[in-house]
Amino acid sequence: MNLNDMGQLHAFLMRYRCIESRPRSRKLRRNESELAGILIEAGAEGLEKMNHFLAGQGLDLIEFTDTDMPGITTGGRVWVLARSPEATPPAFFSIDQVMTRMKLRDDTREIAAVWYLHIWLIHLALLYTHKGRAVSAVSGYLDSAFEEETLIQGVRDHIERVRSIGLDAGAEKRVYEILTDERGTDIAKRVRAFLGLMVDSGLLGCADSGVYEQTLLGAVEISQSFSRTLQHILPDEDALSNIVNLSAPVAEKGEEEEAWPEETE
């Protein structure tokens, strides 16, 4: 693997965050077959070399085959570009992109952050809690499909729970005001913005019109990062009604928050 090969791999992975030698449910992307061939020919030594290059950017290229991960086409290989759980995410995964796309009208960064975190946690409940799935069950990405309307309704139900709680003091009051100030089609618009972000970041795939599923990359990132960032806040059925108590610090953390959820989990 020479420097030109590494440059092409890097450019492709920055855009798609995944290379498949034999895609299961989509067509090959331009140059994807050639890049997969480079990685296959380079072998373990070449993958290690590429990862030395990526490590300084807080990234890790992980290889899977059909023998060690369900859902991969027979004889196929998949490489996913995951954020290292031990490193600061690179600048091009900046939270600024998330905040910009989550804003409606004249929203502040604080408002966008609160909405993003709440929708993200509810989407995790759909992927894990409602399916009785552990975060370590990476192969569960194969049975993770949910409809857009299911997430929209989940957020609506959550807002009604927040209204029923009622908060009148401290940081929770501000979160309460943000979530209960939604109007008309705001929830649907915010959920669609969130889903668009997740698809563009490679953490969700759009399997059909209005149907989304977790990608292998998304499952890997959640599994790798859970013990470091999520084990105390992954919602179960009862916890969903208390998510309002988890969002207040988001606006204060600013750039320390990771953009592409893990899930941005």
Side-chain angles (χ1 to χ4, degrees):
M1 183 185 298
N2 58 38
L3 291 177
N4 181 63
D5 293 337
M6 294 175 68
Q8 290 188 60
L9 286 165
H10 185 262
F12 189 94
L13 289 165
M14 287 301 99
R15 181 173 182 181
Y16 299 112
R17 297 190 67 191
C18 177
I19 294 175
E20 296 184 57
S21 64
R22 299 180 181 180
R24 174 173 60 96
S25 57
R26 61 171 176 81
K27 295 180 179 179
L28 281 163
R29 299 181 175 115
R30 183 179 180 184
N31 298 329
E32 187 172 16
S33 180
E34 291 82 355
L35 295 174
I38 290 172
L39 286 168
I40 292 171
E41 184 177 345
E45 182 178 348
L47 186 63
E48 183 179 4
K49 183 178 180 180
M50 189 68 190
N51 268 320
H52 279 309
F53 169 68
L54 293 168
Q57 303 171 61
L59 300 169
D60 186 20
L61 187 60
I62 305 171
E63 181 180 25
F64 295 95
T65 69
D66 63 318
T67 60
D68 55 32
M69 181 57 62
I72 296 177
T73 305
T74 301
R77 299 193 196 184
V78 176
W79 297 264
V80 297
L81 185 67
R83 290 167 298 174
S84 171
E86 307 301 328
T88 301
F92 38 79
F93 292 151
S94 167
I95 196 170
D96 287 338
Q97 300 180 58
V98 176
M99 297 301 99
T100 298
R101 290 179 61 174
M102 286 299 296
K103 288 180 179 179
L104 292 182
R105 296 180 295 274
D106 56 350
D107 282 352
T108 64
R109 182 186 181 91
E110 176 191 32
I111 292 172
V114 167
W115 275 104
Y116 177 81
L117 178 57
H118 280 250
I119 297 172
W120 179 62
L121 288 170
I122 294 167
H123 122 279
L124 285 184
L126 293 179
L127 295 176
Y128 292 92
T129 308
H130 294 182
K131 295 181 179 294
R133 172 188 171 199
V135 292
S136 59
V138 174
S139 62
Y141 80 97
L142 290 172
D143 183 31
S144 62
F146 64 90
E147 294 184 357
E148 174 184 286
E149 188 54 43
T150 301
L151 181 56
I152 292 173
Q153 189 58 50
V155 175
R156 286 180 179 141
D157 292 343
H158 172 58
I159 301 306
E160 290 308 309
R161 293 190 191 102
V162 170
R163 286 195 174 100
S164 69
I165 294 171
L167 298 168
D168 57 7
E172 291 84 359
K173 179 182 179 181
R174 178 58 182 147
V175 175
Y176 174 86
E177 291 172 346
I178 290 171
L179 294 176
T180 57
D181 190 41
E182 53 87 16
R183 324 168 198 170
T185 60
D186 281 4
I187 289 177
K189 289 178 180 177
R190 292 189 190 278
V191 167
R192 290 178 185 127
F194 170 84
L195 291 171
L197 276 166
M198 295 293 283
V199 169
D200 289 348
S201 63
L203 302 178
L204 288 180
C206 188
D208 202 347
S209 178
V211 178
Y212 294 81
E213 60 184 3
Q214 189 180 42
T215 62
L216 176 56
L217 170 64
V220 167
E221 286 208 340
I222 289 286
S223 178
Q224 287 191 337
S225 301
F226 175 71
S227 62
R228 181 174 61 94
T229 59
L230 299 178
Q231 60 181 340
H232 303 301
I233 62 172
L234 187 69
D236 56 24
E237 292 284 359
D238 296 331
L240 280 176
S241 62
N242 295 318
I243 290 176
V244 67
N245 297 317
L246 302 175
S247 301
V250 172
E252 300 172 1
K253 290 183 181 178
E255 295 299 332
E256 294 179 3
E257 289 290 329
E258 294 184 4
W260 303 111
E262 305 167 71
E263 315 161 288
T264 240
E265 255 133 64

